[in-house]
């Protein structure tokens, strides 16, 4: 079988890795992320990572990017790799699309930038193990003002759409919004669960064999979380980068 870590992005049988399909939604600035100096799209990283000069028109356009994939492709990752291509989640019925997407002010992406090394994407194995020393804005509060949970969605190539809910509050008394670091760990656990559930299942589309997940294919150690895209009222789609294995 052709290993997912070989070949070029042009050989992908589904959507291009940097262009999500579906209706383009211009999200409104998010009131749900509480931070003093760091935004989910363009964090200040102490002069060492992607930042934007508000006086530069080119940088202002970059700041207006609304797609996780656009941002992640532009910034890149020091370990290289390709973004896993996913079709953008959309509700099945027209009435649900209107109610939960078109009539909703979708928020800006939540990004996971790192320093030392500088890049876009935290390794999921590090997030799962709570290793956040390189994660920018790790203590930022996420989903302030939201309900108790949100759905994390994956439209992984070759598999049926999949989702699980994660909490938006911690276990303190009274409960507080989770941090960016805790969110990354929750998403890492969610992706691991997806991989485990798909371990013994056949892909629905055999042409997507290079994206097969499991212990003998793509697993958690191969992936970095680059960001979450707000795709409907209560849903965020997780986007990941496939990191080349070291020989």
């Amino acid at each position: 079988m052709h290993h997912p870590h070989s070949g070029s992005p042009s050989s992908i049988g589904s959507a291009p890795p940097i262009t999500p399909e579906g209706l383009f939604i211009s999200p409104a600035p998010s009131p749900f992320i509480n931070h003093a100096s760091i935004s989910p799209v363009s964090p200040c990283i102490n002069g060492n990572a992607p930042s934007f000069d508000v006086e530069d028109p080119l940088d202002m356009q970059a700041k207006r990017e609304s797609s996780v994939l656009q941002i992640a492709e532009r910034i890149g990752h020091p370990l290289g790799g390709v973004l896993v291509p996913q079709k953008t989640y959309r509700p099945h019925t027209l009435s649900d699309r209107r109610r939960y997407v078109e009539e909703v002010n979708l928020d800006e992406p939540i990004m996971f930038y790192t320093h030392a090394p500088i890049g876009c994407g935290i390794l999921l194995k590090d997030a799962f193990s709570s290793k956040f020393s390189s994660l920018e804005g790790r203590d930022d509060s996420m989903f302030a003002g939201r309900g108790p949970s949100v759905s994390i969605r994956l439209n992984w190539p070759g598999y049926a759409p999949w989702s699980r809910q994660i909490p938006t509050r911690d276990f303190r008394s009274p409960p507080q919004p989770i941090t960016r670091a805790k969110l990354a760990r929750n998403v890492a656990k969610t992706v691991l669960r997806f991989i485990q559930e798909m371990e013994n299942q056949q892909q629905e589309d055999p042409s997507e064999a290079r994206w097969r997940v499991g212990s003998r294919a793509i697993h958690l150690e191969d992936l970095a979380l680059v960001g979450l895209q707000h795709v409907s009222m209560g849903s965020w789609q997780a986007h990941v980068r496939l990191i080349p294995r070291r020989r």
Side-chain angles (χ1 to χ4, degrees):
M1 182 183 74
H2 184 60
H3 195 276
H5 296 270
S6 62
S8 66
S10 62
S11 64
I12 298 171
S14 59
I18 64 169
T19 308
E21 296 182 9
L23 178 66
F24 178 80
I25 303 293
S26 179
S30 172
F32 301 110
I33 299 178
N34 179 19
H35 39 205
S37 62
I38 301 176
S39 82
V41 175
S42 53
C44 172
I45 311 185
N46 300 325
N48 292 325
S51 62
F52 300 95
D53 181 352
V54 296
E55 297 179 357
D56 188 326
L58 294 177
D59 283 346
M60 288 192 67
Q61 175 156 358
K63 190 173 182 179
R64 287 195 295 268
E65 289 174 336
S66 59
S67 164
V68 168
L69 298 177
Q70 289 174 330
I71 298 168
E73 179 69 16
R74 177 173 54 82
I75 294 175
H77 193 280
L79 298 178
V82 296
L83 298 166
V84 175
Q86 297 185 59
K87 293 182 179 181
T88 301
Y89 165 78
R90 291 290 178 262
H92 292 297
T93 67
L94 288 174
S95 60
D96 281 351
R97 278 181 224 151
R98 197 161 42 242
R99 180 179 180 184
Y100 297 116
V101 179
E102 296 168 10
E103 296 177 356
V104 174
N105 289 327
L106 298 178
D107 301 322
E108 294 179 354
I110 296 175
M111 303 302 296
F112 297 90
Y113 297 109
T114 60
H115 62 87
I118 298 167
C120 181
I122 180 172
L123 296 176
L124 284 180
K125 65 177 182 178
D126 289 347
F128 186 83
S129 302
S130 298
K131 297 178 181 179
F132 297 117
S133 60
S134 66
L135 178 64
E136 282 300 326
R138 60 186 177 182
D139 295 323
D140 288 346
S141 296
M142 304 283 108
F143 304 122
R146 284 291 191 197
S149 65
V150 294
S151 291
I152 300 298
R153 295 189 176 273
L154 291 170
N155 279 352
W156 199 277
Y159 297 94
W162 186 93
S163 69
R164 287 294 181 274
Q165 289 195 327
I166 63 169
T168 61
R169 299 289 182 271
D170 60 23
F171 297 104
R172 287 179 287 182
S173 182
Q176 300 296 317
I178 59 173
T179 63
R180 191 185 306 268
K182 182 62 175 179
L183 174 59
R185 186 168 190 269
N186 285 345
V187 174
K189 292 191 292 185
T190 301
V191 173
L192 177 61
R193 183 171 178 180
F194 166 76
I195 293 172
Q196 291 172 336
E197 289 187 8
M198 298 302 118
E199 173 79 36
N200 297 316
Q201 293 192 23
Q202 293 294 324
Q203 287 181 291
E204 294 187 353
D205 184 354
S207 69
E208 301 286 12
R210 72 169 298 201
W211 299 108
R212 180 166 180 77
V213 299
S215 58
R216 298 184 179 181
I218 298 172
H219 43 82
L220 198 71
E221 290 77 8
D222 299 318
L223 301 170
L225 173 64
V226 298
L228 300 177
Q229 188 83 41
H230 194 196
V231 290
S232 72
M233 182 182 291
S235 297
W236 293 76
Q237 190 163 344
H239 286 284
V240 298
R241 185 184 298 275
L242 181 63
I243 301 297
R245 290 178 182 171
R246 295 180 181 178
R247 298 186 183 278

